Every structure is written in C-alpha cells, then in structure tokens.
Amino acid sequence: MRSTAKFSAAAIAAALALTTLTACGGDSKASGDGKDGKVKIMVGGLDKVIYMPAMLTQRLGYFKAEGVDVQLLTEPAGVQATTSLVAGDVQGVVGFYDHTLDLQVKGKHVESVVQLAHAPGEVEVVSDKAAGEVRSPKDFKGKKLGVTGIGSSTDFLTKYLAVDSGVKTSEFTPVAVGAGQTFISALKQGSIQGGMTTDPTVAQIVDQKLGKVLIDMRTPEGSKKALGGPYPSSSLYMNTDWVNGHKETVQKLANALVKTLKWMSTHSAEDIAAKMPGDYAQGGAKLYAEAIKSTLPMFTEDGVMPADGPATVERVLKAFNPNLKNTTVDLKKTYTTEFVQKAG
C-alpha cells in the first residue's frame, strides 16, 4: 500500500475489516491441538517492534530447538488476534496482557504464560498540522484519534489518557486505522489528528516530519509517568484450559521465548534488526534499528510478570471500561509464572 494513496477513515476501516489472515509457513486454519508439537500463534502485527520477540524466536531457531513447530500468523490489531483465540483458530496469541482481564469479565479464562514486556511500547503522536491545538490529552476533545482497532489495547490506552485528563470517551472519536502505512496515510490526509501507534511506524512518522511524539510509553519510566506504574503489555497468552492440558508444550514455548529475551538483552539493536525479515525495515535498515533501540527498554529479560503490573492494568481499564468498573477481577487467574520460572 503506497503512502501517497488517499484514504478516508471509512475506507481504511473497511479495508481492515476485510484483511485476510497471513501466515508464516501455511494457511490460517488451525488444525493441530499442540499434542503433535504443532502450535499456531496469532500475533497482533508481526512487523510491530512491540511483538518482535515472536518472529525473532523463530528466526533464531529457538522454537525448533525446543522441538515445537510454531506457525506465526498475523492480524493488524490485538483485538482481532484475541477473537481468533476465543474461536479456537489458534492456540496462543502474542498480544497485550490487558485482554486477559477484559475476557475474564466476559466469562473467558485466558492467562499470560510469558510476559514479554513491562511497558506498553505505545506512543501517542500528533500530526504537524494539529500540533498547535493538541498539546496534551486534555486537548483530545472533538478530535479524531487513530487506534489499531476498536477494542484494541491502543483504544484502551487512548481512552484512559483522555478520561484521566478530564475528557469523556464520548467527547472524541477513535478511528480504526491499523498501523504502518494505513496509519501514516490517515495522518497525512487529515482523517485523524493524531493517534496511538508503535515502532517502526513512529520512527517513520517522525523521520518524514508528519508528526511528533506527544506521549512516549516505550520505557518503564514513560509508562509510570503516563499510567502511574508499570503496564505489562506484550505477552504470550493462551486459554487456561489449553495450558493446563498441554503443559509440556507450553513449557517449550516459554523456554524458547525466555531464551530470546535474554539474547535481546545482550545484543545491540543493529544485531537484532539483522535477524529480522528484511521487509520489516520499510523506512530503511538504519531507521529500523533506531526504532528497535527506542523500544528495547519495554521488554523484560526473564518473561516474569512485574509484581505490581496487573494492578496497574486493572486500575487503567476500570477508569473507562463499564464492564470492569463494578466487577471484581481475579488477577491471579490472568497470568502464571510457572513456566518462565522453570525456563529461567
């Protein structure tokens, strides 16, 4: 999709709704149950730096070394990946931990088995044209703000930033524009005045002088400033029943991902970029490495859930989500450290 193409917000949303699943090494129909060593994992955007450990683990050969055949699938937004998990099309999702809380109140028991990150890795950007009138979330009122999808984690976090600054969720309009070129096109054409996205999209927006960073949550410090504490985000989460019935397979997945996190902690952004598929560096190799470097602080080194992270996520979601506001969430059932402790 060319960045010069003109897209209306409605056209972009329609395009996203029609997006077909793309796979790394096969079709999108889940056929195995994990017992044969084959596992399908849906990622909320394989080329997003926030979900980089999934593809990096495969590229480093760690899944194969553990004896598990992992097929990585991709969807443009985490909420769509979650839908695939609930439908039974895949055995796992690499997406934001906050979906486990949202699903619990809907009667679905899902848990994070490897916590890849302790900060969102998200950035609120504002277009150069709107920079003068949008200086903080207090200025979201009356604006159209891009998110990957309605009900996605970018949607969750945007709503929290607004409500925390005194702006009602009904006073601004979230627009589903995906990430990458669809987000950039919407920003260029004025379909949105700003929005929440991740690297490498952020790096391209700044490099092309299309917008600037308004709120940076790519580090634990940035997360604490914006959200009041660590915000565990990217994770491998799975249906609790499936985890309990396939502990050997889940352990192999945890072993591989934790090994990758440790590898990442001892290698440079350039080393990491060199291992990733070449077409992920749409803005060029140098810019891609810079995007990885900016986002690296969000990742854990051991896959362990930060002690006070789940409480931060619950507080953030309850600030704007009526489904959670008056509901008791059993946080202990939204994650497990059983597998990462053994992997470590």
Side-chain angles (χ1 to χ4, degrees):
M1 208 174 285
R2 297 180 183 271
S3 60
T4 53
K6 294 185 177 181
F7 293 93
S8 67
I12 292 170
L16 288 172
L18 294 172
T19 298
T20 57
L21 305 183
T22 57
C24 296
D27 60 43
S28 61
K29 192 68 177 176
S31 57
D33 62 1
K35 291 180 180 178
D36 56 0
K38 294 183 178 180
V39 178
K40 294 196 176 187
I41 297 176
M42 185 67 76
V43 184
L46 265 173
D47 58 350
K48 295 177 183 177
V49 177
I50 59 171
Y51 299 140
M52 181 175 61
M55 177 57 75
L56 183 58
T57 302
Q58 191 169 77
R59 301 281 285 190
L60 290 170
Y62 292 162
F63 286 134
K64 186 177 181 180
E66 287 292 332
V68 60
D69 183 3
V70 173
Q71 182 181 3
L72 297 176
L73 307 168
T74 187
E75 275 281 18
V79 63
Q80 293 161 331
T82 300
T83 299
S84 296
L85 179 68
V86 172
D89 293 331
V90 297
Q91 286 79 50
V93 167
V94 171
F96 266 42
Y97 160 74
D98 52 21
H99 288 293
T100 67
L101 279 73
D102 188 52
L103 286 169
Q104 188 183 111
V105 300
K106 296 174 181 176
K108 306 295 182 181
H109 298 290
V110 174
E111 62 186 18
S112 166
V113 296
V114 182
Q115 195 56 48
L116 303 172
H118 51 178
E122 301 283 355
V123 174
E124 184 72 26
V125 298
V126 59
S127 71
D128 276 0
K129 295 177 182 178
E133 53 184 301
V134 182
R135 297 185 177 88
S136 77
K138 293 180 181 180
D139 302 318
F140 284 178
K141 189 174 182 178
K143 301 298 185 293
K144 292 181 179 180
L145 302 173
V147 296
T148 53
I150 304 302
S152 66
S153 295
T154 52
D155 185 30
F156 290 165
L157 290 173
T158 301
K159 286 175 177 175
Y160 172 76
L161 293 175
V163 170
D164 191 52
S165 295
V167 179
K168 297 178 182 178
T169 57
S170 60
E171 294 180 320
F172 70 95
T173 305
V175 183
V177 293
Q181 294 308 309
T182 53
F183 187 103
I184 292 172
S185 295
L187 202 65
K188 274 185 175 181
Q189 301 305 322
S191 300
I192 56 175
Q193 285 77 56
M196 192 168 290
T197 190
T198 61
D199 277 313
T201 307
V202 176
Q204 293 178 53
I205 289 171
V206 174
D207 183 64
Q208 296 175 35
K209 295 179 171 55
L210 298 174
K212 67 177 186 177
V213 173
L214 187 68
I215 299 171
D216 193 339
M217 294 179 285
R218 288 175 289 192
T219 66
E221 294 77 17
S223 174
K224 184 176 182 180
K225 182 177 179 181
L227 306 173
Y231 195 92
S233 58
S234 305
S235 65
L236 170 63
Y237 60 82
M238 314 178 89
N239 286 311
T240 299
D241 286 344
W242 197 92
V243 172
N244 292 336
H246 301 81
K247 289 197 173 187
E248 184 178 347
T249 299
V250 176
Q251 188 63 60
K252 291 177 179 179
L253 294 171
N255 292 345
L257 287 166
V258 170
K259 192 173 181 181
T260 296
L261 291 171
K262 290 181 178 178
W263 188 92
M264 289 168 56
S265 71
T266 58
H267 288 74
S268 68
E270 289 75 16
D271 290 338
I272 296 170
K275 292 290 184 181
M276 301 298 286
D279 60 354
Y280 284 15
Q282 293 186 13
K286 183 179 179 181
L287 190 64
Y288 184 55
E290 290 176 0
I292 291 175
K293 185 177 181 180
S294 296
T295 309
L296 275 178
M298 74 175 281
F299 296 108
T300 66
E301 294 183 13
D302 53 13
V304 176
M305 174 68 75
D308 49 352
T312 301
V313 173
E314 182 182 29
R315 176 176 52 76
V316 166
L317 295 182
K318 284 190 172 184
F320 66 86
N321 190 327
N323 293 329
L324 278 87
K325 198 165 187 177
N326 299 312
T327 304
T328 299
V329 179
D330 189 344
L331 294 177
K332 291 182 179 180
K333 291 183 178 180
T334 61
Y335 71 96
T336 177
T337 60
E338 173 185 351
F339 303 98
V340 292
Q341 286 177 344
K342 290 179 182 177

